[in-house]
Amino acid sequence: MKLSLRGVAKSYCGRRGETVALCPLDMVVREGEFISLVGPSGCGKSTLLHIVAGLEPATTGTVELDGERVLGPGAEIGLLFQQQTLFPWLSVRENVRFPLTLAHARARAGAVERDRQAARVDGLLRLVGLWDFRDSLPAELSGGMQQRAALARALVGQPEVLLMDEPFGALDAQTREDMQELLLHLIQHHRITTLFVTHDVDEALLLSDRVVVFSERPGRVLASLDVTFARQARSSELKLDEAFLHQKREILALLRGRARTEAQRDRLLFGLTNTPLEGGS
Ligand code: ADP
């Protein structure tokens, strides 16, 4: 077991009183497993990633990575968010190298280690197709290229776990498919344990070993579904496959179940009598 979450819950206290973002949640993630988290907006998916990354504390519960409690951010966890956060004044190569420069400052890496790390940066730049743009500034790149640079930067520290929060959400459809293919290629080779937040059920099924479906806020796990078709077979054509469509319908039905209860609640609250219910299943 790579990651273990036990009783992890989160509440925020604000001017409107207490907001329960996440109900107590248990989750075990195996080494090399790729899990997508899907659920309605505001159900606590990002909050959960922040807690696993050690960026904010859980209100209750514990997160363990390889049996050690996660108490703050560290190099063993790589992060990639929708809003890319490249430094605009650094070149692509300097951006990708940046986490290692921080590590150098801490560990005073020797010359051999520095050469090894420089080779790793260059290898990643080639792998994500940015070698020819290594000296460009982020503003000179397209959105997809910037996200590829951010992905390379997330991987450069050789993290044990990769956490991604709608990383391709701002990209156009074609670039998004290209990024999915690239990510599939990377995870097949490196087998990095991954938690991936997405709104896109197709994307979740294309990439994951398991899809975890959350309820509306306060988020709780409605279902944890193993993806049954072989990853080697995955590509955009798979979206037409019957097994794929079956799992997609199953997940959408869980998400629509929420819409149905919301519609029923609205009828009760507002006396609406003819609101069509979403979905037929
Ligand atoms: P998701 O990623 O599923 O869209 P979030 O994890 O961003 O959901 O948010 C879950 C809930 O917690 C939301 O209701 C949100 O308003 C609330 N929330 C998130 N961050 C904070 C915060 N820093 N302070 C107060 N409430 C927050």
Side-chain angles (χ1 to χ4, degrees), residues 24 99 141 149 206 214 231 264:
L141 305 183
L206 275 177
F214 280 79
R231 176 171 275 139
Q264 281 164 349

Side-chain angles (χ1 to χ4, degrees), residues 196-207:
F196 186 91
V197 168
T198 179
H199 273 105
D200 183 333
V201 176
D202 282 355
E203 182 169 81
L205 285 171
L206 275 177
L207 297 173

Side-chain angles (χ1 to χ4, degrees), residues 12 19-21 39-48 56 165 197 217:
Y12 291 103
T19 303
V20 181
S41 254
C43 73
K45 305 179 296 297
S46 304
T47 301
L48 182 62
E56 58 180 295
D165 194 349
V197 168
R217 188 179 66 76

Side-chain angles (χ1 to χ4, degrees), residues 247-266:
Q247 289 216 297
K248 181 175 173 177
R249 277 195 290 269
E250 201 177 349
I251 294 169
L252 288 175
L254 284 162
L255 295 170
R256 284 195 192 115
R258 166 193 71 92
R260 186 157 47 234
T261 52
E262 278 180 356
Q264 281 164 349
R265 190 187 57 205
D266 288 349

Side-chain angles (χ1 to χ4, degrees), residues 10-66:
K10 182 75 182 180
S11 301
Y12 291 103
C13 285
R15 272 179 292 179
R16 290 171 48 228
E18 190 188 35
T19 303
V20 181
L22 265 183
C23 292
L25 175 144
D26 296 311
M27 191 187 289
V28 169
V29 186
R30 292 189 297 276
E31 171 125 42
E33 196 173 19
F34 190 116
I35 296 185
S36 283
L37 312 177
V38 300
S41 254
C43 73
K45 305 179 296 297
S46 304
T47 301
L48 182 62
L49 283 200
H50 289 163
I51 292 170
V52 174
L55 293 172
E56 58 180 295
T59 309
T60 60
T62 55
V63 177
E64 288 184 355
L65 172 60
D66 288 328

